[in-house]
Amino acid sequence: VPRYGYKITYTTADGTTILGYSDNTGITNKSGGIVKGTEKQGAVEIKGNLDGKQIEKYVLHPAFQKFETDELTMANGGWKENIAGIWVAKFEVSDNGSEAIQVKPGVSSWRGITINDIFTKCQSYNSRLNSHMMKNSEWGCVAYLSESIYGKNEKITINSNSSFYTGGGSEIEYISNGVQSTTGNIYGIYDMSGGAFENVASYVNNENSNLETYGASLVNSSSGHLKQVYSKGSSDIYETNYQSNKERYGDAAYETSTIGTDSSSWYGEYSYFPHASEPFFIRGGVYNNVLDAGVFYFNRSNGIGRSYGGFHIALIPVV
């Protein structure tokens, strides 16, 4: 996934009327005013010309950015240095038979593993290439690219395989047609819509005991660039947690949903902001979420290993 900048244009359903933007300043309404609380902290503006078109107020996606402070890095899902891109596993991770990570098509994905163990195994996979558990920001990075002219630019077909086969099935035909990838062809990333839901290295810092019980390695990591940490609201419920994190961007959460619950994300995909005993983010949905799974789906988890919860691994080979 190459380094890029983006700008979201919100329109009416028929596309005839612009309702506002999400750009380097924040989320603006149709009058040009910034929606209170959505100002982007530490954002880098991208501007110039592309194919004869003037580019203004685009924002560098935070997954590629080094922020001024560790606090901003963890809040926005940045990296420890400015990078040219990230590598994301083409398929959900599977177990090679010895509880070690492999990435292969047409095999059952690795599920029933806690946040704690996912984080540890991803980090130890290849330290030279900065292997790590995918963060919310990196999920959003892939999701936004899929919704552009450089991706499928429409809802991604759900992996509806009930055996959780990566790529959609055990036969090569499922992979070779590319319909379930983020680009709509074989060059994209699979299993980000349906299959198993995706555990990501992102959570609401609400001090609930499950953070330590099921995610200690993630929560206690001193490497802020390996996780994305969200603020708890005035009360630890989904709505206040959702509203208190409205300045976050690039993660395909607040920018792409209208409320922190129900089928309120793009394409009617499901959203439920983490809170209380379920402080961890999960993404993508499960194979049988026929109507509301997808790359703009987000939900919550207590971090325990579930039989229908998997993960992607990411690499950052810095040169």
Side-chain angles (χ1 to χ4, degrees):
V1 181
R3 177 184 174 101
Y4 70 83
Y6 76 94
K7 178 180 179 180
I8 298 173
T9 303
Y10 301 107
T11 69
T12 51
D14 59 8
T16 60
T17 305
I18 294 176
L19 301 177
Y21 303 93
S22 184
D23 55 31
N24 73 299
T25 57
I27 296 178
T28 61
N29 56 33
K30 59 184 178 181
S31 300
I34 298 178
V35 177
K36 185 178 180 180
T38 66
E39 297 87 351
K40 293 182 173 65
Q41 303 297 314
V44 173
E45 182 183 7
I46 303 296
K47 57 184 178 181
N49 290 281
L50 179 64
D51 297 330
K53 179 183 177 182
Q54 183 68 28
I55 300 298
E56 293 181 345
K57 291 193 173 184
Y58 278 62
V59 60
L60 174 66
H61 195 282
F64 308 112
Q65 185 182 344
K66 177 182 179 180
F67 288 84
E68 293 181 0
T69 66
D70 289 341
E71 183 179 19
L72 280 175
T73 296
M74 288 192 294
N76 295 313
W79 194 248
K80 59 184 175 180
E81 55 192 300
N82 291 314
I83 53 176
I86 61 175
W87 291 85
V88 176
K90 196 172 188 67
F91 303 99
E92 283 178 340
V93 167
S94 51
D95 180 355
N96 72 349
S98 301
E99 294 195 345
I101 286 173
Q102 68 174 8
V103 179
K104 291 179 64 176
V107 296
S108 189
S109 61
W110 193 351
R111 305 174 316 283
I113 179 172
T114 66
I115 295 283
N116 181 79
D117 291 345
I118 295 171
F119 184 81
T120 299
K121 288 182 179 294
C122 285
Q123 194 173 6
S124 61
Y125 175 72
N126 191 324
S127 58
R128 184 177 63 86
L129 296 179
N130 294 296
S131 61
H132 60 281
M133 183 182 181
M134 199 174 185
K135 300 177 294 184
N136 237 8
S137 60
E138 292 165 331
W139 181 277
C141 179
V142 176
Y144 285 1
L145 201 58
S146 77
E147 189 63 14
S148 74
I149 60 173
Y150 304 103
K152 191 171 184 179
N153 205 17
E154 61 184 44
K155 183 174 173 62
I156 296 172
T157 305
I158 294 173
N159 177 350
S160 59
N161 186 275
S162 60
S163 297
F164 301 96
Y165 281 118
T166 55
S170 59
E171 304 296 331
I172 193 64
E173 64 185 88
Y174 288 95
I175 293 91
S176 60
N177 62 25
V179 297
Q180 294 177 346
S181 86
T182 55
T183 56
N185 56 42
I186 61 173
Y187 302 107
I189 299 169
Y190 289 77
D191 306 323
M192 294 191 67
S193 174
F197 72 67
E198 303 278 339
N199 293 285
V200 289
S202 305
Y203 60 91
V204 172
N205 188 22
N206 63 357
E207 300 181 350
N208 185 272
S209 61
N210 283 339
L211 289 170
E212 286 282 345
T213 302
Y214 302 116
S217 62
L218 165 62
V219 174
N220 296 327
S221 173
S222 59
S223 301
H225 58 284
L226 295 179
K227 55 187 176 181
Q228 189 164 9
V229 183
Y230 292 73
S231 303
K232 183 185 75 170
S234 56
S235 57
D236 189 17
I237 60 176
Y238 74 85
E239 184 176 8
T240 54
N241 286 351
Y242 175 77
Q243 292 294 334
S244 70
N245 289 281
K246 62 175 62 176
E247 80 280 6
R248 308 303 172 88
Y249 64 103
D251 58 355
Y254 189 87
E255 285 181 314
T256 59
S257 61
T258 56
I259 192 171
T261 187
D262 297 325
S263 300
S264 61
S265 292
W266 288 356
Y267 295 112
E269 294 170 8
Y270 191 73
S271 66
Y272 203 126
F273 210 85
H275 66 283
S277 63
E278 297 180 303
F280 297 101
F281 276 89
I282 59 176
R283 306 301 302 251
V286 185
Y287 73 90
N288 58 0
N289 298 143
V290 178
L291 297 178
D292 55 16
V295 294
F296 300 105
Y297 171 113
F298 62 90
N299 206 335
R300 77 279 189 212
S301 167
N302 59 12
I304 196 171
R306 293 182 178 176
S307 61
Y308 42 90
F311 60 102
H312 268 81
I313 188 171
L315 306 174
I316 299 183
V318 179
V319 294

